[in-house]
Amino acid sequence: MNTYSIARVAKVVMIAVAATVATAIHASDTLTVTFTGDVLLDRGVRRTIERHHGDAGCLFSPLVDSVFAASQLVVANLECPVTSIKSPALKNFVFRGEPEWLQVLREHGITHLNLANNHSIDQGRKGLIDTRDNIVKARMVPIGAGNCMEEASQPVLVATHPRNVYVVASLRLALENFAYLPDQPCVSQESFEKLEARVRQLREQEPECCIVVCLHWGAEHVLRPAVQQVVQAHRLIDAGADCLICHHTHTMQTVEQYKGAPIYYSIGNFIFDQKRDINSSACMVQLTITSTTVEAKTIPVVIKDCVPEMVDDEDS
């Protein structure tokens, strides 16, 4: 089978997986979608899995499992390639997870994995595409990566009931020691102007749809967004986004309401090995979507030994 045929088969399989997930959504008037921050499957997390005899199920706590079980969809940011390909990029932090661990994520309720971040290409372009294909094999849907920039940047339809729901993912950072080659396999990394236009076009084409924008952006280890981020977030809401749920800073940042739309500038880590207090406090975001409304609920978590555990609002 040639490379073109393999790519076509992978695309067909991806569409089939997405359809399977979509048809599994309960036939009701509401849709519950939970978003998490960064999921790392290397470094300290790898050591945690190894201490549990290779069982990646150790990364999930019962209360987090219960939130996932109550959600029709769970979207997480996968902060590493998950591939057997070893082709490390020349950069400070290079990650790689084991493909068999993806099945464990699916078993615990994760349905979609966002790849539009600065670590998805840590094992090269082949490692990125292999990661995307491994996600599909594990019966999840990849978001924000493709064989070219146009493909990687397409909005992903994650549900059709009670209305069409799209996730638009974008990396807003330059990749370290990696060329911007939009005709090659890559993550979603269009200019902000193209991203804004894409959101506006989607809103014009489908006025009744729900649009969730997920950006990987901002300065690490800070608690507030930069002024430029606030300006861009407002522009995306003005263009038609219903909410923004973002990450990268490894901290829980400001939550804002702009024209009635929630903006989570960074929801922090999720499954991660950083131990400082500012890196261990994070949240999940649970969206309840009806045919006309979107409501966001913040679910605080604290990360202990790489494992996210829920906390009471009064303790967060």
Side-chain angles (χ1 to χ4, degrees):
M1 184 179 293
N2 59 36
T3 302
Y4 177 73
S5 298
I6 293 172
R8 290 194 62 185
V9 170
K11 187 173 182 179
V12 170
V13 172
M14 190 184 307
I15 293 171
V17 171
T20 300
V21 171
T23 56
I25 296 172
H26 302 315
S28 67
D29 293 332
T30 63
L31 173 73
T32 302
V33 188
T34 297
F35 289 79
T36 83
D38 298 348
V39 173
L40 174 66
L41 298 176
D42 202 357
R43 203 170 58 186
V45 180
R46 177 184 291 274
R47 291 192 291 270
T48 296
I49 295 172
E50 290 171 349
R51 286 199 304 271
H52 288 81
H53 309 289
D55 179 14
C58 68
L59 303 175
F60 294 87
S61 61
L63 288 178
V64 167
D65 279 343
S66 70
V67 171
F68 288 1
S71 307
Q72 281 81 57
L73 302 175
V74 177
V75 183
N77 179 58
L78 182 62
E79 192 77 352
C80 62
V82 181
T83 175
S84 297
I85 294 173
K86 297 180 181 180
S87 181
L90 295 174
K91 52 186 294 195
N92 287 330
F93 299 101
V94 180
F95 301 135
R96 186 188 66 84
E98 302 300 334
E100 59 266 25
W101 295 341
L102 288 173
Q103 184 59 44
V104 178
L105 302 188
R106 185 66 184 93
E107 289 170 355
H108 282 264
I110 294 176
T111 58
H112 294 70
L113 288 172
N114 178 22
L115 298 177
N117 62 65
N118 58 309
H119 283 290
S120 291
I121 209 157
D122 277 5
Q123 301 297 327
R125 300 184 193 278
K126 290 183 179 179
L128 171 68
I129 296 303
D130 191 55
T131 297
R132 184 194 63 174
D133 294 345
N134 287 336
I135 291 169
V136 173
K137 291 175 185 176
R139 298 179 297 111
M140 293 179 286
V141 179
I143 297 173
N147 289 302
C148 63
M149 188 65 65
E150 178 64 24
E151 180 180 308
S153 302
Q154 288 296 319
V156 175
L157 179 66
V158 299
T160 57
H161 187 84
R163 54 177 160 150
N164 285 354
V165 178
Y166 291 92
V167 173
V168 181
S170 181
L171 169 64
R172 308 307 318 141
L173 309 167
L175 287 170
E176 184 180 353
N177 284 341
F178 221 91
Y180 182 89
L181 298 174
D183 293 330
Q184 297 295 317
C186 57
V187 300
S188 173
Q189 200 184 9
E190 291 182 316
S191 69
F192 178 79
E193 288 71 24
K194 286 186 178 181
L195 170 65
E196 183 182 27
R198 194 176 289 279
V199 171
R200 180 173 287 107
Q201 181 182 34
L202 182 57
R203 175 58 65 203
E204 291 173 353
Q205 290 175 342
E206 298 190 34
E208 305 303 321
C209 75
C210 175
I211 303 173
V212 182
V213 176
C214 295
L215 305 180
H216 203 73
W217 65 348
E220 293 185 352
H221 312 300
V222 299
L223 298 176
R224 294 183 180 277
V227 172
Q228 183 185 27
Q229 290 177 264
V230 176
V231 171
Q232 291 184 343
H234 291 183
R235 285 175 60 177
L236 289 170
I237 298 298
D238 290 338
D242 289 282
C243 65
L244 270 67
I245 303 175
C246 309
H247 27 67
H248 172 65
T249 69
H250 304 298
T251 59
M252 175 70 187
Q253 288 193 336
T254 307
V255 181
E256 177 190 5
Q257 290 281 333
Y258 173 71
K259 295 185 177 180
I263 300 173
Y264 289 81
Y265 285 96
S266 177
I267 60 176
N269 294 326
F270 190 63
I271 294 173
F272 222 87
D273 62 350
Q274 295 170 332
K275 296 181 179 180
R276 291 195 298 168
D277 288 345
I278 63 169
N279 303 132
S280 299
S281 297
C283 76
M284 296 181 284
V285 177
Q286 190 172 75
L287 298 183
T288 301
I289 301 169
T290 72
S291 60
T292 57
T293 63
V294 179
E295 294 184 3
K297 178 182 179 182
T298 304
I299 304 176
V301 298
V302 60
I303 302 164
K304 300 178 180 179
D305 296 326
C306 303
V307 180
E309 298 181 1
M310 287 174 57
V311 296
D312 293 332
D313 290 337
E314 59 190 31
D315 296 329
S316 60

